[in-house]
Amino acid sequence: MTARDYRHRWLLLLPFLWQVGGAPLVNDIAWRPLSLPFPMVWQLVGIIFTTTVIAVVFRLDERAEKAYDEKLD
Amino acid sequence: MTVQILTLAIVLGTVVGALLYSQRQARVASMTEWAVGGRRFGILIFWFLNAGEIYTTFAVLGISGYAWAYGAPAYLALTSVSLSAVIGYWLMPRIWDEGRKHNLVTQADFFQERYRAKWLSVVVAAAGILALIVYVQIQITALSLILRLTLGTQVSPIASAVVAAVAMIAFVFIAGLRSAAFAAGVKDILMLVVVVLLCATAASKVGASSMLDIYARVQDMHPTIGSFPGLQPEAGLTSTWLMTAALNVALGNWILPHLFQLCYSAQDRRTIRRNAVLQPLYSLSYFFIIMLGFAALLAGVDPPGGDTNAALLTFVTMNYPAWAIGLFAGTACLLALVPGSVLLLTAGSLFSRNIFKPLVPTLGERGELLASRLSLLVFAAIAVWLTLGANRSLVDIGLSAYAAVGMLAPGVYFAFLWKRANAIGIFAGIVAGYVALLPQFAPMWAELLPGFETGLVAMAINAMIAALVSVLVSPVTPAPRQAMSTT
């Protein structure tokens, strides 16, 4: 019986790279998109990025689980 | 008078509504019903309870205060919520599954089940209760501050803190989790109204042309505010601090006993996962909270005693008409009352089920319920006592709560990731972690790891000791349970 394929779960590390790893890297950028401090924009966009990543993983999980359940029948 | 009336009306209205709502639902006869709502919460209620966790006083008053006082460090809110959603996606279904399979009600039950050690669950319950009391301290601090600032300074700190505690207890006593769910819904709607109102008008109050202009002006006035370390470099809030504090919150978030137990109440795995997808988006609203903190800074707000928690409140009382102040105060009260009730409820159920019941095995369902309710009175009293002793930012108290609860994090994560983790190892880890948190060691950590959030350091030490001791004692402990399901 083949196991469900959850390798796509590694995508969940990406939000950490963006919002935590990226923080010190973008701290001194002086550009102000829409008058906002760049480090703040980085985090705001990071939030949207994170939701997207989780949504993608969610879809891939559903697909993997459906494939597994179908194999069982 | 308008202020007082409106504030009271909002709070009482919500209480009555919550009571009516919960009466319509099933009668509460058992602990399970009271504590986890019978395990039937679908996406909507689950959503509100979760979102409600984000809009607490820590968030609104604490973060706006941080923005006012420090600037960039307020971004913590933007980072920690979305990252804790990522972790939640992975962790929560596992907790839910265990809860369902073994009929678990509390967080300590989980430890007992996995590590096969009743004594460990007592320790865990105590640790969990400690973290919860610190968290309740946040709510009582905030609530008593609101009462004092908006209802007039005749109200003494002691009286307002006691009133706050009594109100919280009243909220939860009748029907447990279900009344909190209703109140959370009301709270979120009102919060939305208040924030929209404040944001639409804040710009004109401070002489800016738009919301974005507030950001522009505050950066012109204080050029360093948008980047770390922000307005007060001596506070040590660097980007390293952000990284470690956000990680600490993200890792510890679902270990908070009330959120841990919230996982048990979901209907299915899909509910939990869908919630995790959308959860980060809630924190986009912090854009507005931070903006309000900056607006207060532009307005030259100077709260009594330099209390950062009072920055937004002071801004509102100085610039808005009485009805708006009342609306804000009433909503802010709910922000403290609703989470506070859930916290006390969790602490009470942890105590009666995992500390008291092992001592009195013949305790029935009703006895358990009674012990739970009585103990929560005690915990509220302790929280009041803690409130009177301190005068710190809500964010700082919050980070202490996360540091305290982080002590249980290795135990939870190892439970799912590592079969060889055992009770003695986990216990050793917890002890080592608490030792690392002692104030005596703070200067040492500051020197070795400058800018690191202490809670995260303690959690790492905890995990390392737990792993080491687990390996050392595994020859003499019983064989581990079968592997947990992985989802």
Side-chain angles (χ1 to χ4, degrees), chain B residues 249-313:
Chain B
V249 171
L251 287 169
N253 191 253
W254 304 111
I255 318 293
L256 285 167
H258 58 297
L259 295 181
F260 188 98
Q261 291 168 199
L262 189 62
C263 301
Y264 293 154
S265 67
Q267 216 168 49
D268 55 28
R269 211 169 56 183
R270 216 158 169 262
T271 302
I272 296 174
R273 285 177 176 174
R274 275 194 302 189
N275 179 73
V277 170
L278 296 168
Q279 198 177 323
L281 296 177
Y282 291 124
S283 60
L284 286 175
S285 55
Y286 282 113
F287 170 86
F288 300 104
I289 306 290
I290 293 176
M291 186 200 81
L292 289 174
F294 284 161
L297 185 59
L298 281 176
V301 153
D302 187 18
D307 189 354
T308 53
N309 302 326
L312 188 59
L313 281 168

Side-chain angles (χ1 to χ4, degrees), chain A residues 4 6 8-9 11-41 43-48 50-62 65 69, chain B residues 72 75 77-80 82-87 89-90 94 212-213 215-217 219-220 223 225-229 239-240 242-244 246-247 250 269-270 273-274 276-284 286-287 290-291 294 486-487:
Chain A
R4 284 171 260 199
Y6 283 112
H8 54 267
R9 286 274 180 100
L11 288 170
L12 292 175
L13 285 178
L14 292 177
F16 288 93
L17 292 177
W18 183 303
Q19 294 197 262
V20 172
L25 303 175
V26 305
N27 196 42
D28 295 311
I29 295 179
W31 177 39
R32 291 191 204 169
L34 298 173
S35 308
L36 302 172
F38 190 79
M40 183 175 181
V41 174
Q43 296 297 338
L44 288 171
V45 176
I47 288 171
I48 299 177
T50 302
T51 281
T52 314
V53 168
I54 302 178
V56 165
V57 171
F58 177 60
R59 283 260 179 266
L60 291 175
D61 275 346
E62 299 254 285
E65 280 155 14
D69 292 337
Chain B
Y75 305 163
L78 298 173
T79 314
S80 53
S82 55
L83 293 182
S84 72
V86 175
I87 295 198
Y89 184 87
W90 180 87
R94 287 168 159 79
L212 291 176
D213 195 37
Y215 279 101
R217 281 172 187 252
Q219 288 174 87
D220 290 336
I225 199 173
S227 302
F228 292 91
S239 44
T240 311
L242 176 77
M243 291 163 68
T244 51
L247 278 177
R269 211 169 56 183
R270 216 158 169 262
R273 285 177 176 174
R274 275 194 302 189
V277 170
L278 296 168
Q279 198 177 323
L281 296 177
Y282 291 124
S283 60
L284 286 175
Y286 282 113
F287 170 86
I290 293 176
M291 186 200 81
F294 284 161
T486 47
T487 38

Side-chain angles (χ1 to χ4, degrees), chain B residues 1-9 150-152 154 322-323 325-326:
Chain B
M1 266 314 276
T2 325
V3 176
Q4 285 88 325
I5 294 174
L6 246 174
T7 311
L8 214 55
T150 55
L151 302 187
Q154 310 95 310
W323 66 266
I325 302 174

